[in-house]
Amino acid sequence: QSALTQPASVSGSPGQSITLSCAGSSNDIGDHNYVSWYQQHPGKAPKLMIYDVSNRPSGVSNRFSGSKSGNTASLTIAGLQAEDEADYYCSSYTSSSTIYVFGPGTKVTVL
Amino acid sequence: QVQLRESGPGLVKPSQTLSLTCTVSGGSINSDNYYWTWVRQPAGKGLEWIGRIFSGVSTLYNPSLKSRVTISADTSKSQFSLQLNSVTAADTAIYYCARLRWGSGAFDFWGQGTAVTVSS
């Protein structure tokens, strides 16, 4: 059972903005900024989209942004496009057990 | 550009040992800037962090798997390996190797993944 909670699915129309949430605790998301987000298309490896809460790796569209408030992290996708349809996983370091955990994932559907 | 590639048997019998190797190119697994990690994903399910190795020797494992897992490295071959003992059907998954930046939560480069099935 994951220590992080994500909604099972989120959908939106092309051009819209959507926000994915990742709820944790004071032992993980609430304790530091080692929060990251990954995009995974079917049959592919995960791809880093956001790291350290809000940093975007080189090559990732600026339509993707991350934030954190308390024990909850969020990923916002602006100007939703068909290619954004994928599973999205959040991840956090857990200071209590010094390991990394992933959320169960959110399936994003572009209507 | 760093590249990682997993290799190993796709079928393992129950109670036996799963052994996988990750070959790294374009970067040194001796670097103090990165951890080298294993992550797995059962079909249709989420990701699970298995463990990591740092500077070729320092290891840390997920407590849920700690009693069965060993991660080691051969820096001369730029490879690190995963051994998972006493496997059951619950260990059937796609296994990924990935690079984790030190001082960050970023798994920034991933292998393509290798599917392992535990079955007699």
Side-chain angles (χ1 to χ4, degrees):
Chain A
Q1 187 172 355
S2 176
L4 305 178
T5 302
Q6 296 183 253
S9 62
V10 173
S11 60
S13 299
Q16 283 187 330
S17 290
I18 60 172
T19 297
L20 283 58
S21 62
C22 176
S25 72
S26 57
N27 289 323
D28 39 65
I29 293 175
D31 192 39
H32 56 77
N33 289 331
Y34 291 174
V35 179
S36 52
W37 290 89
Y38 302 86
Q39 177 191 65
Q40 188 179 37
H41 287 110
K44 299 295 187 182
K47 175 186 176 184
L48 178 66
M49 304 301 285
I50 294 289
Y51 68 96
D52 298 351
V53 175
S54 58
N55 293 301
R56 216 173 24 254
S58 174
V60 171
S61 171
N62 59 9
R63 297 186 298 104
F64 292 85
S65 61
S67 63
K68 185 182 86 166
S69 177
N71 298 337
T72 299
S74 299
L75 174 72
T76 298
I77 309 175
L80 200 61
Q81 300 180 0
E83 67 212 49
D84 300 332
E85 189 163 288
D87 294 323
Y88 290 82
Y89 295 91
C90 60
S91 175
S92 176
Y93 178 72
T94 64
S95 49
S96 58
S97 49
T98 65
I99 66 169
Y100 289 83
V101 290
F102 291 90
T106 295
K107 181 176 182 59
V108 168
T109 301
V110 180
L111 301 172
Chain B
Q1 181 83 337
V2 174
Q3 292 186 326
L4 297 88
R5 175 169 291 185
E6 306 88 350
S7 59
L11 181 65
V12 182
K13 289 182 167 51
S15 80
Q16 294 193 342
T17 296
L18 179 160
S19 296
L20 298 174
T21 295
C22 182
T23 301
V24 179
S25 58
S28 170
I29 66 170
N30 258 336
S31 170
D32 288 345
N33 294 320
Y34 303 104
Y35 300 106
W36 301 94
T37 73
W38 288 96
V39 177
R40 69 180 183 178
Q41 184 174 35
K45 297 188 178 180
L47 302 164
E48 181 180 31
W49 183 78
I50 299 172
R52 59 83 168 155
I53 190 163
F54 180 66
S55 288
V57 292
S58 175
T59 56
L60 183 66
Y61 304 125
N62 190 322
S64 68
L65 298 168
K66 185 176 181 179
S67 63
R68 299 194 292 129
V69 173
T70 301
I71 297 176
S72 59
D74 184 338
T75 55
S76 67
K77 295 182 179 179
S78 201
Q79 294 177 333
F80 63 105
S81 299
L82 169 70
Q83 284 195 313
L84 183 64
N85 303 325
S86 304
V87 297
T88 69
D91 296 309
T92 294
I94 294 176
Y95 285 76
Y96 295 99
C97 56
R99 190 180 81 169
L100 172 64
R101 293 183 196 171
W102 184 87
S104 168
F107 294 85
D108 58 358
F109 286 96
W110 296 68
Q112 84 280 5
T114 188
V116 178
T117 300
V118 178
S119 174
S120 55

